[in-house]
Amino acid sequence: MSVEENVKEIRERIAGAAARAGRDPAEITLVAASKMNPAEKVIEAKNAGITVFGENKVQELLGKKALGAYEGAKLHLIGHLQKNKVRQIVGQCDVIQSVDSQELLRLIAAKAESLGLVQKVLLEVNIGGEESKTGACPDEIRAILDAASGAKGVSVEGLMAIPPSVENNPEKTNYFAKMYQLFVDISAEKYDNVTMRILSMGMSADFEEAIREGANMVRVGTSIFGARNYQV
């Protein structure tokens, strides 16, 4: 199918998942994860109605942005952010979804403040405690929130997670449920510079389950653009 047909199908599936959960489909933001897809594909998805794009790598994001690929759309960094790339990305995207330490948050805040802006961020949670994945442990999140309270250059908009890949669907659902509970608990607490508007979880293989458990932002790549060729 074409990108346009894929986008239509994904939106229908989002609407169905939201309806089954008793939620308004308009609450769910679809982020097209455009990693390893050229600017032309991004523009094709944009023409199909995509309004938010997510990139994994800073250089790829900046390269496609220079070509005007995302013009008129929102842009998120959804991949791991190395500390030495902070100066390149702050102010270049709408949201950085992968803040996983106090040090990284402070570097982003300092750069943003030097530019006279406020960078929106999400805190990435390693909800499965996997050594192979980035993200802060759930019990480290409040220390990062405390750091955000004293940092003028950032606004923490919510949480992001990539739960473990498990064949047993109820087990993955448990990870989504734990993320939602953490999101709710933090939302009830009072931190400066923290709004907790976004819970970003769920990708091509599991976004419907994530929506059922409370996600209001899903990151879909393969189901929109097709399988990526990692051999190139």
Side-chain angles (χ1 to χ4, degrees):
M1 293 197 299
S2 67
V3 167
E4 182 177 10
E5 290 170 323
N6 289 341
V7 169
K8 183 175 183 291
E9 180 182 311
I10 294 300
R11 290 209 183 277
E12 288 172 352
R13 289 173 61 190
I14 288 173
R20 289 190 294 275
R23 301 176 62 193
D24 182 354
E27 295 176 5
I28 316 300
T29 299
L30 171 60
V31 178
S34 42
K35 170 186 175 182
M36 297 179 69
N37 284 281
E40 293 77 16
K41 279 285 188 182
V42 172
I43 293 169
E44 187 178 350
K46 190 170 62 177
N47 291 339
I50 293 293
T51 58
V52 187
F53 289 91
E55 290 289 352
N56 281 59
K57 295 183 180 297
V58 170
Q59 291 309 123
E60 186 175 355
L61 180 154
L62 295 175
K64 282 185 263 189
K65 185 176 183 180
L67 296 172
Y70 316 107
E71 192 169 342
K74 298 287 187 180
L75 180 55
H76 293 200
L77 181 72
I78 59 177
H80 176 62
L81 175 59
Q82 296 174 309
K83 296 180 182 70
N84 63 356
K85 298 289 180 66
V86 166
R87 59 183 178 79
Q88 295 176 261
I89 194 63
V90 170
Q92 296 297 317
C93 63
D94 296 281
V95 180
I96 297 172
Q97 290 204 21
S98 49
V99 175
D100 59 2
S101 70
Q102 295 180 60
E103 184 183 0
L104 182 59
L105 183 134
R106 288 185 177 117
L107 288 171
I108 291 169
K111 180 61 178 177
E113 195 170 356
S114 75
L115 295 172
L117 55 87
V118 175
Q119 177 68 61
K120 294 178 181 179
V121 304
L122 304 185
L123 304 187
E124 182 179 0
V125 182
N126 187 343
I127 194 63
E130 297 176 279
E131 291 185 6
S132 62
K133 285 184 180 174
T134 57
C137 296
D139 59 6
E140 297 173 335
I141 291 298
R142 283 171 175 79
I144 304 175
L145 291 167
D146 286 335
S149 293
K152 296 179 181 178
V154 293
S155 172
V156 178
E157 304 284 303
L159 305 177
M160 183 269 264
I162 306 173
S165 297
V166 290
E167 293 183 11
N168 180 3
N169 213 33
E171 188 176 346
K172 176 165 278 191
T173 296
N174 288 340
Y175 288 119
F176 288 141
K178 287 178 182 178
M179 277 300 304
Y180 181 70
Q181 190 58 55
L182 180 64
F183 178 76
V184 169
D185 290 347
I186 293 172
S187 297
E189 299 168 16
K190 300 298 182 185
Y191 293 93
D192 291 337
N193 303 331
V194 176
T195 61
M196 283 292 141
R197 298 183 306 107
I198 298 170
L199 178 55
S200 175
M201 59 183 189
M203 299 187 289
S204 288
D206 55 21
F207 68 84
E208 287 157 305
E209 290 84 357
I211 289 170
R212 184 179 65 220
E213 295 302 323
N216 60 16
M217 179 175 285
V218 295
R219 310 178 305 275
V220 179
T222 300
S223 293
I224 291 175
F225 298 103
R228 301 176 179 96
N229 182 4
Y230 287 94
Q231 304 303 315
V232 175

